[in-house]
Structures are given as structure tokens and as C-alpha cells.
């Protein structure tokens, strides 16, 4: 069967309907395709042979080509489809011409680059070791939890995720002193040995944190891994970081900075040496940020461009009873770091950011406050809220309450209730990604039919 004999893009009328999400929904903007095909079967006829001296029959001027036949215009239309998992597979059903554009590796790269700053939030991975996946999107964009099932080798032992970014998951394998870069959509894995020297001088694999990120914008083949830890005694405590580049295939030199041994700390941690907290990192601008806890509580910054570590204090206790603290990107743009602080005594979430005065002196200020009790209709004193996850590209926090799991978009304050995981969780890693079939970290083309990507 040759469909091009019976269907023509000019006779394919496509209408796009964008649904506005419900007031209490953050599932994104679903795209509905409504296709109406006008089927015209072409019949061949015997051409008329003009006799000698016969005047040619009058002919009509050719009709202008439809915009849907313009190979320069169609990719621009497809490029602006929402980055939901179902968008491109649905568009490929319109006609052969559209399917050829969608299947082109160059188009998929441009599509991923076009939406790299607004990837969909597919869900959260349990950060406590099980790696269970909690989907957040509705059908047809919902990813089934069983699809994101990591296949480990025998002898790996208990593994722990360190974070997700750009469609990749970073996992540490303490038993083997390795880290694993996993791409859930393709199943690709890349293993690295922890650089020698990172687990010496009072630091073991259980205290290592890290982050993963893609290379330059649009580079789907290469990635970077950052590992960070704190070592030494109380008096000579220091932070150590090391960066791996898949393009170079090697770890770079260690980056270090001294850590304070006193500061704004709760009584729970005063007797403990300063360490890198086991929460995920936040990428803001050209820097990665982690929480520091112990007898000094603050923020550790790694400038990826300058390859420099720095420590900054915070005006509130990071880890204390009845309070919640979560690093996030500062509101208002600018590429800076901020944090969300909330007390269960009043259910008011404060969004802090760094402000620099005319003399170049930086200080922390409250940019905005959110009354969660009014937003979520909470009864005073009846809820114990924990912030267990944050999606940096979507500016979404995941909160665990007695009444359920709630996902709140901090810009619009729209929220969505999610199914509670079977096991209790204290940390979740947001998985945000614009999926295209050829984005495997090994550089190979996936080759899977786009129609089976959702």
C-alpha cells in the first residue's frame, strides 16, 4: 500500500486546540490534534494526443502550493509544538511529509534546543535508594513507572541517586566506588570510577554528593559529572569537588576550599563536622549549589566556568525541627541562587534571594511570601509539611503532607495532588527532559519509532 497515491498534504486539514489547564492543575498544556483528511483517489487516464495543427486546450495557471507543502515552513511550525512527549508522535501521523520532518535527527536536535529552558516535568525519582518513579503528567504524556526501571549489575549492592538534570540521572554505587550516569528514556548507562583521593582523609562514599548535566546547549552526546564531598577534621575541614567531562574522557584536578567550623547551626548538629547535605544540587547560571550542614550551615557554590568553590552563610537554620529549607533558583532571573524557608508553626513559605547593593555587598532578602494554609486550605496545627523535592526548570516544589503529596508551581501557585508513594520518602529528584529519539549519551541513534515514545 502506497499512501502517497491516495493522500496529499494539501488535502490534509489540521487544526490545533490548546487547552487551558484547570485552576488547580499543573499537568502542563495538553495539545489536542484534530485531523480531517479529505481522501482523493487519483485515477490515471490516457493522455489526449494533439493532432497536427490543433491548438492546445486552454489551461488554468497552477494553484499556489499549500503552506503545509512548504518544506521551509513546516519545520518552523513543528518546532513550536509543546515539548510534551506526545506532541511529535501525534504530528507524525498527519502525513508522510510531516513524519519525515519529525524523524529527521537535525530537526529533533533543534526541537530539543528550542525547548531546553522549558522541559516538561515527567515526575520524581525516590532519592532514598529505591529509585521508584512517581509520574506527574496525565495521559497521553504520562510515563509509566515500570518504563523507568534501572537494570543494575550483580554485585552493585545498594545504590543511591544523587540528582537528575537534562534527562540524565546520576547514581552512586558505594560498594564499587563508582557513579552511574543513566538515561531513563533510552536505558543507556555510563559508569565511572570515583576519582582516587576523594574518599580519603575522613570521607567515605556515603558522604559523596554530586550532579550531572549535559554539555553545551544542544549537545546531546556529551555530559559532565561533578562529585563533591567534605573531608578533614573539625579544625581543618575543607570541601573538595572534581569534574568529569565525557568529551575529554577524564576527571579534572581537585578543587578545594576551607569550610568554617562554626556558624548558624541548630543544636541538633553543633557537635557534627560540616558536611555536604545529601539533597540534590541546584544549577543557577554557571554555578552548582549544595546545602552544608553540621556545626556550620550554609551553601556551597561551585563556579563551573572559573572552577572555583565558595561558601556563603544563610540567615536561617537549614536543618532544624519544625522548619523546611530548600535551595532554588532566585526569582526575578539574573541566574542567582535563592531558597525557600517554611515553618510549620504558621505555614508561611518565604522565598529568599541575594541582593547586591551599590557597593557590591550581597545580602539575603525575602522576595515573596506564600500563605500555604490559605492556598491549600490547611487546618492550623493539623498538618506537618515537608519539602521533599524541587524542579528547577519548572519552578515546582513537591510537598509531603498528612493529606497527601502536593506539587505546587511557585509562579502561578497552581497545585496538583499526586498519589502517595508506597514507601515513605524524604528526598525526591525531579526528572525534567525534552525527549527526542537520538539523545542517547553514547552518541548512537535510538532508532526507535517515535510513535512508541509515549
Amino acid at each position: 500500500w502506497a499512501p502517497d497515491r491516495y493522500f496529499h498534504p494539501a488535502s490534509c486539514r489540521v487544526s490545533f486546540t490548546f487547552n487551558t489547564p484547570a485552576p488547580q492543575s499543573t499537568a502542563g498544556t495538553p495539545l489536542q490534534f484534530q485531523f480531517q483528511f479529505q481522501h482523493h483517489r487519483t485515477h490515471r487516464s490516457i493522455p489526449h494526443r494533439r493532432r497536427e495543427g490543433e491548438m492546445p486546450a486552454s489551461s488554468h495557471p497552477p494553484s499556489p502550493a499549500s503552506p503545509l507543502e512548504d518544506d521551509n515552513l513546516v519545520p518552523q511550525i513543528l518546532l513550536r509544538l509543546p515539548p510534551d512527549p506526545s506532541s511529535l508522535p501525534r504530528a507524525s501521523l498527519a502525513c508522510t511529509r510531516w513524519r519525515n520532518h519529525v524523524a529527521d535527527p537535525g530537526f529533533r536536535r533543534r526541537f530539543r534546543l528550542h525547548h531546553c529552558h522549558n522541559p516538561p516535568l515527567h515526575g520524581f525519582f525516590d532519592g532514598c535508594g529505591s529509585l521508584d518513579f512517581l509520574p506527574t503528567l496525565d495521559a497521553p504524556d504520562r510515563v509509566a513507572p515500570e518504563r523507568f526501571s534501572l537494570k543494575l549489575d550483580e554485585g552493585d549492592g545498594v545504590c543511591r541517586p544523587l540528582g537528575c538534570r537534562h534527562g540524565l540521572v546520576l547514581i552512586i554505587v558505594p560498594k564499587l566506588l563508582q557513579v552511574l550516569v543513566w538515561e531513563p528514556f533510552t536505558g543507556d548507562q555510563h559508569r565511572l570510577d570515583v576519582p582516587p583521593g576523594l574518599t580519603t582523609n575522613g570521607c567515605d562514599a556515603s558522604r559523596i554528593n554530586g550532579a550531572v548535566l549535559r554539555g553545551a546547549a544542544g549537545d546531546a552526546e556529551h555530559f559532565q559529572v561533578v562529585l563533591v564531598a567534605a573531608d578533614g577534621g573539625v579544625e581543618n575541614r575543607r570541601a573538595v569537588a572534581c569534574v568529569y567531562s565525557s568529551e575529554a574522557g577524564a576527571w579534572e584536578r581537585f578543587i578545594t576550599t576551607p569550610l568554617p567550623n562554626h556558624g548558624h547551626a541548630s543544636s541538633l548538629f553543633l557537635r557534627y563536622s560540616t558536611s555536604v547535605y545529601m539533597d540534590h544540587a541546584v544549577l543557577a547560571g554557571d554555578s552548582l549549589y549544595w546545602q552544608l550542614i553540621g556545626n556550620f550551615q550554609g551553601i556551597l557554590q561551585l563556579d563551573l566556568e572559573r572552577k572555583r568553590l565558595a561558601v556563603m552563610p544563610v540567615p536561617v537554620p537549614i536543618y532544624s525541627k519544625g522548619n523546611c529549607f530548600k535551595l532554588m533558583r532566585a526569582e526575578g532571573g539574573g541566574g542567582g541562587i535563592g531558597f525557600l524557608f517554611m515553618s510549620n508553626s504558621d505555614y508561611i513559605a518565604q522565598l529568599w534571594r541575594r541582593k547586591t547593593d551599590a557597593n557590591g555587598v550581597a545580602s539575603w532578602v525575602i522576595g515573596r511570601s506564600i500563605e500555604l494554609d490559605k492556598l491549600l486550605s490547611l487546618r492550623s496545627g493539623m498538618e506537618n509539611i515537608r519539602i521533599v523535592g524541587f524542579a528547577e526548570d519548572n519552578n515546582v516544589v513537591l510537598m509531603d503532607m498528612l493529606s497527601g503529596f502536593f506539587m505546587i508551581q511557585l509562579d502561578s501557585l497552581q497545585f496538583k495532588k499526586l498519589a502517595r508513594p508506597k514507601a515513605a520518602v524524604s528526598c525526591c529528584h525531579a526528572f525534567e527532559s525534552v525527549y527526542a529519539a537520538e539523545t542517547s549519551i553514547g552518541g548512537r541513534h535510538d532508532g526507535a519509532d517515535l510513535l512508541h515514545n509515549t
Side-chain angles (χ1 to χ4, degrees), residues 76-334:
Q76 296 303 316
I77 296 174
L78 298 176
L79 196 65
R80 285 155 178 81
L81 293 177
D84 302 323
S86 64
S87 291
L88 293 184
R90 284 179 166 190
S92 69
L93 294 174
C95 57
T96 302
R97 183 186 299 272
W98 282 32
R99 183 176 179 83
N100 291 339
H101 284 298
V102 168
D104 177 54
F107 168 79
R108 294 198 298 266
R109 279 197 249 13
R110 294 192 301 273
F111 184 82
R112 186 176 59 253
L113 180 61
H114 184 77
H115 295 287
C116 65
H117 297 297
N118 63 324
L121 172 59
H122 298 280
F124 292 85
F125 282 101
D126 180 3
C128 299
S130 69
L131 269 175
D132 291 338
F133 183 69
L134 175 65
T136 57
L137 297 178
D138 297 324
D141 300 307
R142 183 179 181 271
V143 179
E146 55 270 18
R147 180 170 183 182
F148 286 169
S149 179
L150 175 63
K151 297 179 180 179
L152 295 170
D153 295 338
E154 292 185 11
D156 282 341
V158 178
C159 301
R160 176 169 55 88
L162 301 180
C164 308
R165 188 169 290 102
H166 302 157
L168 304 176
V169 183
L170 181 64
I171 302 164
I172 188 165
V173 187
K175 185 177 179 181
L176 303 179
L177 282 181
Q178 290 182 337
V179 288
L180 171 66
V181 180
W182 174 42
E183 191 168 13
F185 271 120
T186 64
D188 286 353
Q189 298 183 17
H190 192 104
R191 289 179 179 254
L192 306 170
D193 292 327
V194 173
L198 191 64
T199 56
T200 60
N201 197 17
C203 175
D204 56 45
S206 64
R207 298 178 179 269
I208 294 176
N209 206 332
V212 63
L213 61 157
R214 298 275 189 182
D219 184 357
E221 182 177 349
H222 301 109
F223 62 90
Q224 287 182 306
V225 171
V226 179
L227 296 182
V228 63
D231 66 13
V234 175
E235 299 299 327
N236 61 342
R237 201 76 173 154
R238 66 172 188 167
V240 183
C242 196
V243 180
Y244 173 88
S245 168
S246 67
E247 187 172 11
W251 292 95
E252 300 176 2
R253 61 179 180 83
F254 286 135
I255 308 167
T256 64
T257 192
L259 290 175
N261 57 14
H262 59 82
H264 197 151
S266 66
S267 58
L268 293 173
F269 291 94
L270 281 175
R271 67 177 184 269
Y272 295 104
S273 300
T274 304
S275 300
V276 182
Y277 189 45
M278 291 296 102
D279 203 356
H280 60 84
V282 171
L283 177 65
D286 294 326
S287 295
L288 286 165
Y289 298 85
W290 293 267
Q291 299 176 31
L292 293 172
I293 61 170
N295 53 27
F296 173 85
Q297 295 189 15
I299 299 174
L300 179 66
Q301 175 190 9
L302 172 62
D303 189 321
L304 294 169
E305 292 296 322
R306 300 179 180 179
K307 298 295 190 293
R308 183 183 303 171
L309 282 171
V311 174
M312 61 180 72
V314 292
V316 297
I318 285 184
Y319 197 94
S320 58
K321 187 176 181 180
N323 295 327
C324 298
F325 182 99
K326 182 65 67 173
L327 284 177
M328 57 179 288
R329 290 173 177 169
E331 291 194 319

Side-chain angles (χ1 to χ4, degrees), residues 340-385:
L340 185 151
F341 180 78
M342 190 210 69
S343 173
N344 275 293
S345 62
D346 56 15
Y347 302 133
I348 295 180
Q350 301 173 342
L351 277 61
W352 292 70
R353 60 182 176 86
R354 296 273 279 180
K355 181 180 180 181
T356 304
D357 61 19
N359 298 320
V361 179
S363 60
W364 290 102
V365 296
I366 300 177
R368 182 163 59 104
S369 296
I370 303 172
E371 296 178 288
L372 294 175
D373 55 342
K374 295 181 179 179
L375 178 66
L376 304 175
S377 301
L378 304 178
R379 290 183 295 175
S380 178
M382 300 298 292
E383 286 281 3
N384 181 32
I385 302 177

